[in-house]
Amino acid sequence: MIRVRDLTIRVGSFALEGVSFTVAAGRYAVLMGKTGSGKSTLLEAITGLRPIEAGSVELLGRDVTRLKPADRGVGYVPQDLALFPTMTVREHLAFAQAIRGWDRTPTEQRVAELADLLGIDHLLDRQPQGLSGGEAQRTALGRALSFRPRVLLLDEPLSALDEETREGMYDLLRTVHRETGVTVLHVTHSLTEAKKLGDCIFRLADGKIGEMA
Amino acid sequence: MSSRRRGTTPSTGRSDVPFLVALGVMGGFYVLLIVGMLVADVLSTTPGHLWALLKNRDIRYSIKLSLISCTITAILSVWVAVPLGYLLSRYQFRGKALLDVLLDIPIVLPPLVIGLCLLILFSTPPGRGVQQFVQVTYAIPSVIIAQFAVAAAFAVRTMRVAFDQISPRQEQVALTLGCSRSQAFWRVVLPQARQGVLTAGTVAWARAMGEFGPVLVFSGTTRGYTEVLPTTVFLELSTYSLEGAVAVSVLMVIVALVVLLIVRVYGMGSAPVGGR
């Protein structure tokens, strides 16, 4: 579950004030809004990367407002994916496990499991520079899911993809959601995307948030 | 409709050649100057002269001290440049502007003044305290400190640019994956800055190789002891041995070219393919 209460964030002259919403555990929520409405800022605040002025963030019933990003257990896929250029796809999928000191065998099993789920088995030894948009997207998704987070935050994950790849990604995101049971907050400005994927749709406008469905 | 409408399509018939020629001519003067200097130097000496130099024990010592001191200076410069460059690139803190200006001082101050400042520093009570344990002034450590004082400033600038070019986004993602700031730095940022580290080390090495002003004042010109290659050129000139000075200069060019080429080739081989 994601619960945001009376959140206030200021970035220069831009401000989000008193934002509150709740995404029930296991739901696929979509957050819509125009460019510059603060969707990404809100997502960053939930990850802990953006300092907040007031309010609270609860994840799975735990108040994480004062926790560092590393301690929140949130899978995050930023809009630009931010893949690590010095690592292979395999190393991306094993990164969070290496940080947690997992042994080799469970790490390899998890990498194989993710590669199978995301259809990137054949890409494991490739560097991100040689990947197509869809392949890079799958890699970033795998990296975010690698440590089995209960909450997944996706920042406009499909905006840079062509129509055909996007259709494939809709199916993949549905499969990932169904098989992992992760609570998803997916930011987009596309109503089609929101309707195809979302159990519930929120709209952010003029610094206020409202539920559409 | 008139076919003489203006501004609808750009002209495509114009050649790019004049632009490219202008670029080549304007920049070419500087390239010619460098090539001219090198050719003049090389033509002013002979292989026999160079060979004679290499047989001279003092010159061999000078080459050895130059190579060792420059390498130590480069390592020390990278050692301070990586943390300083990262701090300046990623963090906002009180006194940052002052620190930025402070780091430019070794670049803008005349080299002789740097040497003088070091001489004065090591004659203050703390400096004298250090010298009770290690003789610095007019000894070999002073050569390294004099080179380091200037070269490190260039390495810091290089590292800052290198870190500026790496998106902070990747570190942020690493933080959400469970990394501490330190882990994100070592595992995600530094591997990407590898080329920058190599460049900073090379810049510091090359800068140290050419450093003379601070070495002259702080280390003196003791033949066969605090003598590095620029000192040798100075000593040869001061005894009116222009041929000797030219031959040492050519030797410096050869040594610098060989080292820089090795670093460049190694650096290109180790750079991540298509790395941003």
Side-chain angles (χ1 to χ4, degrees), chain B residues 66-131:
Chain B
S66 281
L67 289 176
I68 293 172
S69 64
C70 290
T71 305
I72 295 173
T73 295
I75 292 168
L76 292 176
S77 298
V78 168
W79 185 262
V80 298
V82 168
L84 279 172
Y86 186 67
L87 278 172
L88 288 169
S89 171
R90 291 291 193 269
Y91 290 91
Q92 296 302 322
F93 52 89
R94 196 185 292 261
K96 182 176 173 178
L98 182 68
L99 176 65
D100 218 6
V101 172
L102 211 64
L103 288 167
D104 273 340
I105 286 179
I107 295 172
V108 296
L109 271 186
L112 280 173
V113 177
I114 301 268
L116 191 63
C117 292
L118 285 169
L119 202 59
I120 292 167
L121 174 68
F122 278 88
S123 60
T124 59
R128 284 203 302 272
V130 170
Q131 297 211 71

Side-chain angles (χ1 to χ4, degrees), chain B residues 22-254:
Chain B
L23 291 183
V25 169
M26 288 163 77
F29 282 114
Y30 185 55
V31 177
L32 270 179
L33 178 68
I34 297 171
V35 172
M37 288 192 307
L38 292 177
V39 169
D41 250 21
V42 169
L43 292 181
S44 303
T45 191
T46 61
H49 245 111
L50 287 174
W51 187 242
L53 270 180
L54 288 172
K55 283 203 288 191
N56 182 319
R57 206 178 63 175
D58 287 336
I59 303 285
R60 283 208 308 273
Y61 176 86
S62 168
I63 294 171
K64 196 170 88 179
L65 182 61
S66 281
L67 289 176
I68 293 172
S69 64
C70 290
T71 305
I72 295 173
T73 295
I75 292 168
L76 292 176
S77 298
V78 168
W79 185 262
V80 298
V82 168
L84 279 172
Y86 186 67
L87 278 172
L88 288 169
S89 171
R90 291 291 193 269
Y91 290 91
Q92 296 302 322
F93 52 89
R94 196 185 292 261
K96 182 176 173 178
L98 182 68
L99 176 65
D100 218 6
V101 172
L102 211 64
L103 288 167
D104 273 340
I105 286 179
I107 295 172
V108 296
L109 271 186
L112 280 173
V113 177
I114 301 268
L116 191 63
C117 292
L118 285 169
L119 202 59
I120 292 167
L121 174 68
F122 278 88
S123 60
T124 59
R128 284 203 302 272
V130 170
Q131 297 211 71
Q132 280 184 343
F133 301 99
V134 187
Q135 179 59 38
V136 175
T137 312
Y138 301 123
I140 292 171
S142 68
V143 175
I144 295 165
I145 295 173
Q147 291 174 342
F148 170 74
V150 180
F154 288 90
V156 170
R157 287 280 160 248
T158 309
M159 275 324 298
R160 184 188 174 158
V161 172
F163 286 126
D164 280 345
Q165 286 171 349
I166 297 169
S167 163
R169 198 54 132 177
Q170 287 143 1
E171 282 158 271
Q172 293 176 346
V173 170
L175 296 180
T176 68
L177 291 168
C179 283
S180 62
R181 278 261 167 217
S182 159
Q183 284 172 317
F185 174 77
W186 288 106
R187 287 172 179 264
V188 175
V189 185
L190 204 55
Q192 287 185 66
R194 186 175 172 167
Q195 191 66 40
V197 170
L198 207 64
T199 308
T202 311
V203 165
W205 191 93
R207 187 70 221 183
M209 176 58 100
E211 213 52 69
F212 174 60
V215 176
L216 174 70
V217 178
F218 191 40
S219 315
T221 53
T222 313
R223 189 128 242 190
Y225 183 46
T226 57
E227 182 185 355
V228 280
L229 283 169
T231 319
T232 311
V233 176
F234 172 75
L235 288 174
E236 293 293 323
L237 278 176
S238 62
T239 54
Y240 303 103
S241 168
L242 188 63
E243 284 177 343
V246 170
V248 177
S249 306
V250 171
L251 204 62
M252 278 183 77
V253 170
I254 294 168

Side-chain angles (χ1 to χ4, degrees), chain A residues 22 27-28 31 33-34 39 41 44 49 61 75 79 83 89 96 99 101 106 118 140 154 172 204:
Chain A
T22 302
R27 302 292 293 275
Y28 196 118
L31 176 62
K34 290 180 185 167
K39 307 184 297 290
T41 307
E44 285 171 5
L49 294 170
Q79 193 175 355
L83 293 177
V89 172
I99 295 297
L118 300 165
L154 307 171
L172 180 71
L204 184 63

